[in-house]
């Protein structure tokens, strides 16, 4: 502003000069800026065409425009000197040229000369960037030749001293393109020569140098920072393309199978990787689980080697920008011994006949194990003690064969345990029980419970009575064990067995067909056969002995003395006989046997009590005391004989004894009876009383008998009407007689039993002589008996022999 002001003043001054008529000349000088004060700018003497004397005389002086005086004139030399240091840039700024105007005024005549001093530029300023650093953000993979203009550097100096050039620090990616503008300034652009890759260099540091044209040159630098922005230019990369892993089957769910890992060199979401299955079947996806963030492949469901031994799983890794990569995980499943062997029964023969020969195939088995290797290698066994064994056959087949003969009767059923074991660790076993039934073969005959049977039958049985039971067991079963009984034909007493007994073929019960009499038959034997119903049938037989048991159905029978009632025999006893003299012996028999025939004797009545005694066992009549004179000549004894049956049966015998003097010849004594009759006279009255008593008793007895018989007949009629069987009157029984063996007497005696069927006497049985040796005319036709001289009952005692001979005569 001051300058403008000055210029206007200068114009005014020139106008004043023109008016005054003073002509002015202009002198042009130049001086460099930044010179020291006092430095010479120019000498004006020549230009003014004056000498020094005139100069000083004319009082020359330098007048500068404006307030500030930059120059001074030395009047002694005419030199214009710098009064002060001048900074062109401060004085003129961007103005060019920078000129300072002044005037030299001379008096006498007034002369005004213009002086122009141009201030010349000096390179005293550095180029200057507005910032120390410039930041560029450039995406990677920008196309080459992309230009990035740079800010100019400023230089206060002018012209050559201003910025003349830019240079860039050496680098791979950029070059610098410097352009000149019409105003003489220069600018620069960064040109991309090679694509940027963030993954190689995320940040580039460049240095820009601005150079001016001064001398010396002045430079300035600025930093250029280039941040490379990421673009998803990288595909994720797996560590391996194929992962091979092994895993045991039945691994716990959640256990790690493999970890796949992919990397992406990009940044941020472009490097964020998620993992996923690629085209993996659903069932495999259930077995394996993939963590999409970590890439961990874990067990999902149970892994079963037996279903699949290996898996190939494709896994995809995808970054945030959608680029994917693939890898494959090959999982090899390792077998574990988790399957027990399995025993399959292919065929079975059951029931098995017990007569099967050894080596008969009973069953065919197959053992399988789903595991592999040793885990699937199996062995098969069965219990050692069985009559069966296993024979290995091809392809894990086994034959169960018999190794012994079988017997259903000892073991009818087998539970055979088949044990299959594999060789895994730990070993697994499985068992199977095979039930083999043994079927029956008729190999056992019926066996009777006893080797012989002995049965008892009471005589006088009713026909049809159960005698007993035979039983045979057959260890076989069903038909083979169904036993039937039958009687083998045979003879009993010359009659067929079947007329005596019959057998129930089902139960083995033996029944009596007829009523039996012990006195006729004591026992008999029949043979029973037991037959099973097998094919062919087997049988066995047993002997059955039927013993007829005696009943006390016979009263004792007196053999001696003869009890025919007409002439009782007399036994003679000498009066001088001592006590214990054996008078006689009562002989009685009983046709029953055993207890029923054990006879006992007792003295029921005697003429002279206390004189005689009877042996209870042997029937011997003995004197108890010596005979005295008062004892009557004729003694009469009634002796009761009873058997030992239940109830006992008894009979009585009357014995006459004559007491005689001397006993040399008993027959002579008998002749002497008249003598004795004298004695007897004394007893006649007594005898008469006895006879009367006897007659009365006999009469009562007879009446009783008649009444009894009448009652019996009544009962009998009723009984015959109700059961005709009770009293056999068949052809085997002649109307009156039947033959039978003798009873208690030896078999040498035969008696003929005569029955007066239907008559009043039918209850009584009578003995009729059948013995040819003796022939005694019976006093009564009803009963006759004979005793052989060899009879065991009477043979031992001499007195007995006498008695016997007496009887036989
Ligand atoms: C065999 O097994 C069956 C069924 O468990 C059983 O009823 C039978 O009693 C067994 N037999 C033997 C001889 O153990």
């Amino acid at each position: 502003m001051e300058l403008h002001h000055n210029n206007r003043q200068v114009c005014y001054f020139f106008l004043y000069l023109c008016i005054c008529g003073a002509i002015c000349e202009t002198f042009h000088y130049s001086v460099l800026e930044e010179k020291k004060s006092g430095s010479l700018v120019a000498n004006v003497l020549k230009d003014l065409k004056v000498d020094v004397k005139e100069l000083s005389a004319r009082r020359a002086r330098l007048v500068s425009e404006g307030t500030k005086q930059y120059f001074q004139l030395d009047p002694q030399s005419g030199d214009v000197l710098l009064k002060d240091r001048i900074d062109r840039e401060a004085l003129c700024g961007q103005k060019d040229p920078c000129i300072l105007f002044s005037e030299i005024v001379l008096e006498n005549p007034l002369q005004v000369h213009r002086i122009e001093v141009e201030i010349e530029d000096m390179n005293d300023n550095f180029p200057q960037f507005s910032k120390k650093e410039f930041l560029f953000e450039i995406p990677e993979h920008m196309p080459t030749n992309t230009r990035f203009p740079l800010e100019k550097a400023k230089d206060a100096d002018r012209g050559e001293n201003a910025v003349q050039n830019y240079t860039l620090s050496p680098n791979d990616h950029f070059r610098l393109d410097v352009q000149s503008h019409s105003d003489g300034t220069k600018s620069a652009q960064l040109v991309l020569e090679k694509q940027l890759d963030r993954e190689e260099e995320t940040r580039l540091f460049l240095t820009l140098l601005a150079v001016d044209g001064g001398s010396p040159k002045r430079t300035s630098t600025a930093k250029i920072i280039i941040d490379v922005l990421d673009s998803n230019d990288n595909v994720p990369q797996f560590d391996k393309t194929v992962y091979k892993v092994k895993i045991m089957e039945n691994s716990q769910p959640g256990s790690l199978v493999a970890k796949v890992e992919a990397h992406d060199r990009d940044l941020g979401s472009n490097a964020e990787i998620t993992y996923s299955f690629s085209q993996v079947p659903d069932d495999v996806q259930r077995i394996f689980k993939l963590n999409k963030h970590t890439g961990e492949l874990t067990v999902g469901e149970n892994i079963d080697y037996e279903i699949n031994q290996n898996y190939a799983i494709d896994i995809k890794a995808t970054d945030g920008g959608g680029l994917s990569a693939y890898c494959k995980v090959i999982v090899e499943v390792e077998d574990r011994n988790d399957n027990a062997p399995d025993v399959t029964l292919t065929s079975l023969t059951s029931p098995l006949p017990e007569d099967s020969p050894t080596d008969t195939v009973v069953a065919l088995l197959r053992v399988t194990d789903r595991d592999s290797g040793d885990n699937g290698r199996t062995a098969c066994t069965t219990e050692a003690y069985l009559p069966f064994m296993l024979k290995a056959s091809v392809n894990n087949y086994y034959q169960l064969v018999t190794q012994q003969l079988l017997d259903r009767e000892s073991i009818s059923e087998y539970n055979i345990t088949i044990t299959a074991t594999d060789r895994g660790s730990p070993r697994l076993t499985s068992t199977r029980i095979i039930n083999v039934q043994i079927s029956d073969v008729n190999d056992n005959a019926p066996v009777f419970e006893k080797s012989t049977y002995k049965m008892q039958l009471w005589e006088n049985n009713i026909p049809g009575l159960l005698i007993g039971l035979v039983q045979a067991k057959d260890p076989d079963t069903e038909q083979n064990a169904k036993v039937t009984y039958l009687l083998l034909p045979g003879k009993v007493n010359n009659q067929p067995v079947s007329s005596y007994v019959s057998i129930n073929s089902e139960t083995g019960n033996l029944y009596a067909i007829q009523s039996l009499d012990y006195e006729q038959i004591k026992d008999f034997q029949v043979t029973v056969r037991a037959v099973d119903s097998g094919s062919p049938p087997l049988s066995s037989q047993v002997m059955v002995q039927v013993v007829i048991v005696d009943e006390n159905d016979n009263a004792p029978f007196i053999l001696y003395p003869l009890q025919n009632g007409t002439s009782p025999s007399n036994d003679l006893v000498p009066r001088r006989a001592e006590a214990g003299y054996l008078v006689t012996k009562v002989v009685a028999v009983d046709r029953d046997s055993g207890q029923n025939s054990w006879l006992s004797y007792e003295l029921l009545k005697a003429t002279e009590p206390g004189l005689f005694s009877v042996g209870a066992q042997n029937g011997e009549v003995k004197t108890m005391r010596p005979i005295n004179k008062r004892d009557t000549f004729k003694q009469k004894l009634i002796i009761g004989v009873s058997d030992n049956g239940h109830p006992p049966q008894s009979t009585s015998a009357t014995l006459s004894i004559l007491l005689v003097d001397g006993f040399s010849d008993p027959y002579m004594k008998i002749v002497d009876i008249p003598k004795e009759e004298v004695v007897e006279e004394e007893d006649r009255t007594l005898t008469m009383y006895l006879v009367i008593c006897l007659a009365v008793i006999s009469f009562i007895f007879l009446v009783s008998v008649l009444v009894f018989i009448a009652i019996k007949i009544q009962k009998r009629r009723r009984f015959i009407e109700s059961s005709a069987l009770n009293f056999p009157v068949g052809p085997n029984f002649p109307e009156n007689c039947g033959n039978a063996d003798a009873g208690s007497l030896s078999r040498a005696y035969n008696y003929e039993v005569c029955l007066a069927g239907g008559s009043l006497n039918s209850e009584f049985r009578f003995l009729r002589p059948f013995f040819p040796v003796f022939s005694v005319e019976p006093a009564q036709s009803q009963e006759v008996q004979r005793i052989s001289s060899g009879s065991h009952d009477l043979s031992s005692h001499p007195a007995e022999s006498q008695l016997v001979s007496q009887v036989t005569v």
Side-chain angles (χ1 to χ4, degrees):
M1 280 298 281
E2 206 183 343
L3 279 175
H4 284 278
H5 180 68
N6 286 347
N7 284 349
R8 215 180 298 146
Q9 280 186 327
V10 168
C11 286
Y12 292 150
F13 181 69
F14 277 118
L15 193 58
Y16 163 73
L17 282 177
C18 291
I19 292 166
C20 298
I23 301 310
C24 6
E25 246 181 300
T26 303
F27 308 112
H28 191 84
Y29 308 107
S30 67
V31 68
L32 265 176
E33 61 173 330
E34 305 287 343
K35 289 254 179 170
K36 285 189 291 189
S37 66
S39 302
L40 176 71
V41 179
N43 193 300
V44 289
L45 288 178
K46 236 200 267 159
D47 291 330
L48 291 174
K49 294 170 184 121
V50 289
D51 57 12
V52 179
K53 284 178 204 152
E54 193 181 345
L55 200 65
S56 55
R58 289 181 72 181
R59 295 188 33 212
R61 49 186 195 274
L62 189 74
V63 177
S64 291
E65 290 176 6
T67 50
K68 176 134 184 172
Q69 297 292 315
Y70 292 100
F71 308 106
Q72 62 182 17
L73 182 68
D74 182 5
Q76 307 302 322
S77 59
D79 289 343
V80 174
L81 300 173
L82 271 177
K83 204 174 178 184
D84 211 347
R85 211 163 115 131
I86 295 171
D87 183 11
R88 194 196 73 91
E89 284 77 23
L91 193 65
C92 295
Q94 291 298 312
K95 202 167 77 178
D96 192 38
C98 179
I99 297 170
L100 286 174
F101 297 97
S102 339
E103 280 134 18
I104 295 178
V105 180
L106 294 170
E107 292 176 12
N108 300 324
L110 181 69
Q111 277 184 317
V112 178
H113 296 284
R114 256 177 88 83
I115 292 171
E116 292 177 11
V117 179
E118 187 182 345
I119 311 299
E120 287 181 341
D121 187 40
M122 224 181 86
N123 195 18
D124 60 345
N125 283 295
F126 290 88
Q128 235 171 5
F129 288 104
S130 63
K131 290 192 255 176
K132 285 263 175 230
E133 290 178 352
F134 295 97
L135 185 69
F136 288 86
E137 288 187 333
I138 302 173
E140 56 180 334
H141 300 293
M142 268 306 236
T144 50
N145 286 324
T146 310
R147 288 171 176 266
F148 304 96
L150 296 174
E151 193 189 69
K152 285 185 209 164
K154 277 189 181 160
D155 196 324
D157 297 324
R158 306 291 309 155
E160 283 294 304
N161 292 336
V163 174
Q164 292 301 310
N165 203 4
Y166 295 96
T167 54
L168 193 62
S169 56
N171 69 89
D172 293 337
H173 295 278
F174 293 97
R175 70 179 168 84
L176 207 58
D177 182 29
V178 180
Q179 290 170 329
S180 303
H181 298 283
S182 52
D183 63 350
T185 58
K186 307 245 170 129
S187 67
Q189 289 180 335
L190 280 172
V191 179
L192 187 64
E193 279 201 306
K194 186 185 158 203
Q195 282 200 334
L196 292 168
D197 187 357
R198 192 201 63 78
E199 287 72 37
E200 277 176 22
E201 259 176 313
T202 53
R203 190 169 245 203
L204 271 65
F205 295 97
L206 304 175
T207 309
L208 180 66
L209 184 72
V211 187
D212 65 16
S215 175
K217 291 182 176 180
R218 292 185 183 271
T219 61
S220 165
T221 56
K223 270 189 180 161
I224 296 175
I225 299 173
I226 295 171
D227 273 342
V228 184
L229 298 182
D230 185 52
S231 69
N232 193 23
D233 60 339
N234 280 289
V235 174
Q237 284 245 293
F238 277 105
D239 293 349
K240 301 183 207 166
T241 50
V242 176
Y243 293 82
K244 280 190 176 171
V245 290
K246 288 184 177 179
I247 187 158
M248 283 304 272
E249 68 169 324
N250 303 336
S251 288
Q252 282 291 314
S255 43
L256 185 71
V257 179
K259 183 174 163 71
V260 296
E261 213 164 2
H263 298 281
D264 193 309
R265 297 172 64 211
D266 295 323
L267 205 61
S269 73
N270 290 338
E272 239 166 49
I273 290 172
T274 52
Y275 301 92
S276 59
F277 286 121
S278 165
Q279 306 280 358
V280 174
D282 284 351
D283 56 333
V284 179
Q285 287 199 27
R286 279 197 299 275
I287 292 172
F288 298 101
K289 296 272 174 244
L290 181 65
N291 185 317
K292 67 178 188 172
H293 300 296
T294 62
E296 284 176 343
L297 191 67
T298 52
V299 177
E301 275 182 1
N302 186 35
I303 298 183
D304 191 355
Y305 175 86
E306 283 71 38
I307 291 177
N308 206 343
Q309 291 86 48
N310 40 51
Y311 296 90
I313 304 164
D314 287 319
I315 291 177
K316 177 164 87 169
T318 310
D319 66 18
L323 294 177
S324 299
Y326 299 86
C327 76
K328 194 183 274 292
V329 179
I330 292 175
V331 181
E332 197 178 306
V333 183
E334 292 184 325
D335 185 42
R336 183 171 265 175
N337 194 19
D338 60 343
N339 286 289
D342 191 25
V343 182
T344 333
L345 191 60
T346 314
S347 72
L348 172 65
T349 312
S350 175
L352 183 70
E354 59 178 319
D355 61 351
S356 302
T358 53
D359 260 1
T360 305
V361 177
V362 182
L364 191 60
L365 305 159
R366 185 163 187 220
V367 180
T368 48
D369 192 311
R370 295 178 62 218
D371 294 319
S372 62
D374 274 352
N375 293 341
R377 205 157 293 146
T378 54
C380 200
T381 54
T382 184
E383 298 110 304
Y385 53 85
L386 289 179
F388 300 97
M389 65 176 191
L390 278 175
K391 268 190 182 170
S393 183
V394 287
N395 210 4
N396 284 328
Y397 276 96
Y398 292 88
Q399 285 182 319
L400 184 70
V401 298
T402 56
Q403 59 174 348
Q404 289 169 21
L405 291 175
L406 303 167
D407 183 16
R408 190 205 62 80
E409 284 72 36
S410 22
I411 301 175
S412 66
E413 178 191 29
Y414 290 92
N415 283 338
I416 306 161
T417 307
I418 309 286
T419 307
T421 310
D422 63 23
R423 301 215 187 131
S425 167
R427 286 171 187 237
L428 293 178
T429 58
S430 67
T431 57
R432 187 178 175 121
I433 295 175
I434 299 177
N435 180 267
V436 176
Q437 307 270 346
I438 309 300
S439 65
D440 190 44
V441 167
N442 193 22
D443 55 353
N444 285 286
V447 177
F448 281 99
E449 286 173 331
K450 301 179 189 167
S451 55
T452 56
Y453 285 85
K454 196 163 183 179
M455 296 176 184
Q456 286 192 335
L457 177 63
W458 288 86
E459 62 173 329
N460 305 325
N461 61 292
I462 55 164
L465 186 74
L466 175 69
I467 304 173
L469 169 74
V470 295
Q471 221 163 15
K473 291 259 158 65
D474 192 315
D476 294 323
T477 57
E478 315 239 319
Q479 288 299 310
N480 295 339
K482 193 165 177 242
V483 178
T484 53
Y485 304 92
L486 54 98
L487 282 175
L488 288 191
K491 293 265 176 177
V492 174
N493 263 3
N494 284 327
Q495 286 178 24
V497 158
S498 56
S499 65
Y500 279 87
V501 286
S502 71
I503 192 163
N504 183 320
S505 66
E506 299 286 324
T507 61
N509 283 339
L510 272 174
Y511 297 98
I513 296 278
Q514 40 173 281
S515 184
L516 293 171
D517 184 2
Y518 173 83
E519 284 71 35
Q520 288 176 41
I521 180 165
K522 292 201 173 56
D523 61 356
F524 60 89
Q525 287 184 340
V526 295
T527 308
V528 176
R529 171 176 285 174
V531 187
D532 64 24
S533 310
S535 167
L538 297 174
S539 67
S540 62
Q541 53 196 49
V542 74
M543 194 75 91
V544 180
Q545 185 180 24
V546 180
V547 175
I548 290 106
V549 183
D550 183 43
E551 250 177 2
N552 194 20
D553 59 347
N554 286 289
F557 183 78
I558 313 280
L559 293 178
Y560 177 83
L562 271 178
Q563 300 291 310
N564 52 18
T566 49
S567 57
S569 61
N570 294 317
D571 289 296
L572 304 180
V573 177
R575 280 186 174 271
R576 62 176 191 275
E578 296 292 311
Y581 175 83
L582 177 66
V583 180
T584 183
K585 181 170 176 165
V586 177
V587 179
V589 292
D590 192 309
R591 295 188 60 221
D592 297 319
S593 64
Q595 294 263 337
N596 295 338
S597 64
W598 291 3
L599 300 179
S600 57
Y601 304 84
E602 67 179 321
L603 188 59
L604 293 180
K605 200 177 174 191
T607 310
E608 196 73 43
L611 181 55
F612 296 102
S613 70
V614 176
Q617 306 298 325
N618 49 24
E620 286 175 353
V621 179
K622 291 181 179 173
T623 56
M624 287 175 76
R625 60 173 170 81
I627 300 163
N628 57 36
K629 290 260 171 61
R630 274 180 293 136
D631 293 329
T632 51
F633 165 70
K634 199 168 181 183
Q635 297 280 338
K636 198 167 181 187
L637 302 178
I638 298 176
I639 294 168
V641 182
S642 56
D643 61 23
N644 204 25
H646 289 283
Q649 300 228 30
S650 60
T651 188
S652 62
T654 308
L655 200 62
S656 288
I657 298 170
L658 302 179
L659 305 180
V660 291
D661 297 320
F663 191 58
S664 58
D665 188 355
Y667 294 96
M668 292 308 292
K669 297 295 192 261
I670 293 171
V671 174
D672 288 342
I673 284 171
K675 272 186 201 172
E676 290 176 10
E677 271 175 354
V678 181
V679 183
E680 204 177 29
E681 288 281 346
E682 298 168 17
D683 294 330
R684 213 164 260 174
T685 45
L686 181 67
T687 312
M688 203 180 70
Y689 290 133
L690 277 171
V691 168
I692 291 168
C693 277
L694 265 172
V696 170
I697 290 166
S698 300
F699 179 74
I700 292 169
F701 176 73
L702 201 67
V703 169
S704 306
V705 166
L706 283 174
V707 169
F708 177 71
I709 288 169
I711 291 168
K712 271 283 177 181
I713 287 169
Q714 278 303 107
K715 275 188 186 171
R716 185 172 191 80
R717 272 193 191 141
R718 271 186 242 131
F719 185 65
I720 290 171
E721 279 162 19
S722 62
S723 70
L725 276 170
N726 194 25
F727 227 88
V729 199
N732 289 339
F733 291 82
E735 199 172 278
N736 289 330
C737 301
N739 287 327
D741 285 345
S744 63
L745 291 173
S746 104
R747 275 174 191 263
Y749 297 86
N750 280 340
Y751 295 91
E752 194 173 45
V753 178
C754 297
L755 296 173
S759 77
L760 286 178
N761 296 325
S762 63
E763 281 292 287
F764 303 108
R765 294 178 183 182
F766 302 101
L767 294 174
R768 188 167 287 236
F770 194 68
F771 219 79
V773 179
F774 308 104
S775 176
V776 173
E777 199 65 37
Q780 290 184 356
S781 62
Q782 287 168 316
E783 54 176 26
V784 169
Q785 64 200 16
R786 288 281 163 157
I787 298 173
S788 142
S789 57
S791 163
H792 56 90
D793 280 342
L794 306 171
S795 56
S796 53
H797 202 277
E800 281 174 9
S801 316
Q802 283 180 348
L803 292 170
V804 168
S805 57
Q806 189 181 348
V807 170
T808 52
V809 169

